[in-house]
Amino acid sequence: LERKENPVWPSEAKDVFSHRDPQMVVFVLWNPQEKFKGRTVLRIYDLDNKLIAETKALKLTLRPGQRTGSSWTLRISTLAAGIYRVDVLLDASPAWRNYFRVTE
């Protein structure tokens, strides 16, 4: 992440990772239209919709007109080669979703 930017911004974006990659960072830039105060959590699922990993819930406060970023650093080496879905939830509701591939 480019920490000199305001808000923090990813320096590179990709959706294919190798086991040689030590980690990946999931970054979400929030541009809220309404006020939110609650928790956010990241979940990873395989293509059979089986929950593979879940992060600890983090407190999050969002205000309209105030951009902020959230990021999670995940180890790639723990995942088998394949395609995965990543969901970011605000409380229990999905707010962002994407897919990524892990290769050998």
Side-chain angles (χ1 to χ4, degrees), residues 38-88:
R39 297 189 179 275
T40 183
V41 66
L42 180 140
R43 293 181 180 159
I44 296 177
Y45 297 87
D46 66 12
L47 286 181
D48 293 325
N49 208 33
K50 179 183 172 194
L51 181 64
I52 301 297
E54 180 175 14
T55 64
K56 180 180 175 182
L58 302 172
K59 292 180 184 177
L60 181 65
T61 301
L62 301 174
R63 293 178 181 86
Q66 184 179 6
R67 290 185 183 174
T68 187
S70 297
S71 64
W72 296 265
T73 302
L74 307 166
R75 289 191 352 224
I76 297 295
S77 61
T78 61
L79 299 174
I83 298 173
Y84 296 90
R85 184 182 91 220
V86 59
D87 290 354
V88 174

Side-chain angles (χ1 to χ4, degrees), residues 3-104:
R3 304 222 180 259
K4 295 176 185 175
E5 299 291 327
N6 189 14
V8 174
W9 194 253
S11 60
E12 177 184 349
K14 63 182 186 175
D15 57 8
V16 177
F17 300 89
S18 165
H19 278 129
R20 292 185 301 269
D21 294 322
Q23 62 191 17
M24 72 176 204
V25 176
V26 175
F27 178 81
V28 176
L29 177 63
W30 303 106
N31 187 16
Q33 303 303 306
E34 58 187 54
K35 193 174 181 180
F36 172 82
K37 187 171 185 174
R39 297 189 179 275
T40 183
V41 66
L42 180 140
R43 293 181 180 159
I44 296 177
Y45 297 87
D46 66 12
L47 286 181
D48 293 325
N49 208 33
K50 179 183 172 194
L51 181 64
I52 301 297
E54 180 175 14
T55 64
K56 180 180 175 182
L58 302 172
K59 292 180 184 177
L60 181 65
T61 301
L62 301 174
R63 293 178 181 86
Q66 184 179 6
R67 290 185 183 174
T68 187
S70 297
S71 64
W72 296 265
T73 302
L74 307 166
R75 289 191 352 224
I76 297 295
S77 61
T78 61
L79 299 174
I83 298 173
Y84 296 90
R85 184 182 91 220
V86 59
D87 290 354
V88 174
L89 291 88
L90 292 177
D91 287 334
S93 301
W96 180 84
R97 173 175 287 163
N98 206 354
Y99 293 85
F100 67 96
R101 178 187 303 267
V102 176
T103 62
E104 289 297 326

